[in-house]
Amino acid sequence: MEILICIKQVPGTSEVEVDEVTGVLKRDGVDSKMNPYDLYALETALRIRKEKGGTLKVITMGPPQAKQVIEESFMMGVDEGAILSDRKFAGADVLATSYALSQGIKKIGKPDLIICGKQTTDGDTAQVGPEIAEFLNIPHITNVNKIVEIKEKSIIVEVDMPNTLEVCEIEFPCLITVEKGIFQPRLPSFKLGLKTKNREIPMYSLKDFEDQDENNYGLNGSPTQVLRIFPPTSNNEKEVLKGSAEEVTDILVGKLKNLKLI
């Protein structure tokens, strides 16, 4: 079985500047880490390989420094990795991101199973996984919290719906997104790090894709545009109200009315 895991490098801090012109995060020079949800996808893939055998690959999209998360995945036991990096991919929304990843997956070869984390901590849309599946024209299931059984031609999973738990079977090739807590992610291995430190990581750009139309990628290929984005301002002002319960209540009600909250 060949399994592909989609991973992403995200800011390691909430103190990230925003480009006021484009509305995208300024990632250069910011400490980064692997998207926490992707660790659960990696662990799921590693457990499946232990049971059924096969090859594990990872793919990510981002600046060249994103290869750090691929190297981290090698330290956890992944066999191969590839990075999609091109200035023309910058500023992509979920649709353009999903399309670029689908093109990258076609480039490296469509696997039997694609596993994604539920969402990313910098976007929180939880849409990229399903959209990749749509572009690849394969079935998908989201919110998987348990692998029930892996058959020769399909996989049975438990899905966490808003009010119920459902058991679904889906045929290969397919894509699933997994919930946080499906398995406890393992720590990277120092020995594997030494063993894989010189492992080649191919980097692909737009010219390597089947579709090389620049209008389908990055800001050009993003139908949704950020009108305005800004870091939240901190407000440390405080006021202590004194008096009887009735007096304090009247003051609070007056302030709430002035703020048009009531």
Side-chain angles (χ1 to χ4, degrees):
M1 174 182 286
E2 185 170 306
I3 304 173
L4 175 71
I5 310 99
C6 297
I7 61 177
K8 185 180 182 182
Q9 188 178 56
V10 298
T13 174
S14 59
E15 302 296 324
V16 182
E17 295 183 4
V18 177
D19 189 317
E20 296 182 1
V21 177
T22 62
V24 299
L25 299 180
K26 294 181 179 179
R27 300 178 185 270
D28 293 341
V30 176
D31 290 336
S32 301
K33 64 180 180 180
M34 186 181 299
N35 175 48
Y37 287 93
D38 297 341
L39 294 171
Y40 300 100
L42 281 167
E43 184 62 33
T44 301
L46 289 162
R47 301 272 183 124
I48 293 175
R49 185 184 63 180
K50 183 178 180 180
E51 179 181 344
K52 293 296 182 180
T55 303
L56 298 188
K57 298 180 180 180
V58 293
I59 189 171
T60 190
M61 186 175 84
Q65 71 182 45
K67 75 173 185 177
Q68 294 169 359
V69 294
I70 296 180
E71 293 169 342
E72 183 179 345
S73 74
F74 289 165
M75 296 173 69
M76 297 175 70
V78 169
D79 301 303
E80 301 176 29
I83 178 172
L84 311 180
S85 187
D86 195 311
R87 288 283 185 182
K88 296 180 178 64
F89 300 157
D93 69 355
V94 291
L95 188 72
T97 296
S98 304
Y99 187 69
L101 285 168
S102 72
Q103 288 288 304
I105 292 169
K106 288 181 180 179
K107 173 65 180 179
I108 65 177
K110 291 171 66 174
D112 301 299
L113 176 63
I114 301 173
I115 306 178
C116 302
K118 177 183 177 181
Q119 61 195 60
T120 59
T121 55
D122 60 349
D124 288 325
T125 65
Q127 296 174 10
V128 170
E131 289 184 11
I132 290 174
E134 289 297 313
F135 282 125
L136 294 175
N137 195 30
I138 60 174
H140 68 275
I141 294 178
T142 61
N143 303 92
V144 173
N145 67 359
K146 183 179 181 181
I147 304 298
V148 178
E149 183 181 357
I150 305 165
K151 297 184 177 181
E152 182 180 351
K153 296 183 178 180
S154 65
I155 182 171
I156 301 175
V157 296
E158 184 180 270
V159 183
D160 185 8
M161 304 297 285
N163 299 312
T164 60
L165 292 176
E166 298 185 7
V167 176
C168 304
E169 183 172 1
I170 185 171
E171 292 187 352
F172 301 128
C174 63
L175 180 148
I176 63 173
T177 72
V178 297
E179 288 277 1
K180 183 173 66 173
I182 184 170
F183 293 113
Q184 179 63 38
R186 67 194 65 190
L187 294 174
S189 164
F190 178 72
K191 288 185 178 179
L192 279 176
L194 292 176
K195 185 178 179 180
T196 61
K197 65 179 182 179
N198 295 320
R199 183 176 291 175
E200 183 180 356
I201 302 175
M203 185 177 297
Y204 300 111
S205 61
L206 180 60
K207 64 181 177 60
D208 298 304
F209 289 174
E210 178 183 314
D211 178 8
Q212 299 182 14
D213 186 348
E214 296 183 12
N215 292 319
N216 294 327
Y217 303 93
L219 286 172
N220 292 334
S222 301
T224 57
Q225 298 290 332
V226 177
L227 295 179
R228 182 169 179 256
I229 187 170
F230 54 90
T233 56
S234 59
N235 186 348
N236 297 322
E237 294 182 7
K238 61 182 179 179
E239 180 181 355
V240 178
L241 303 179
K242 296 182 179 180
S244 64
E246 291 79 6
E247 292 171 339
V248 171
T249 300
D250 289 340
I251 295 172
L252 283 174
V253 170
K255 289 183 176 295
L256 291 173
K257 286 182 176 178
N258 289 336
L259 294 171
K260 297 183 180 180
L261 297 175
I262 57 174

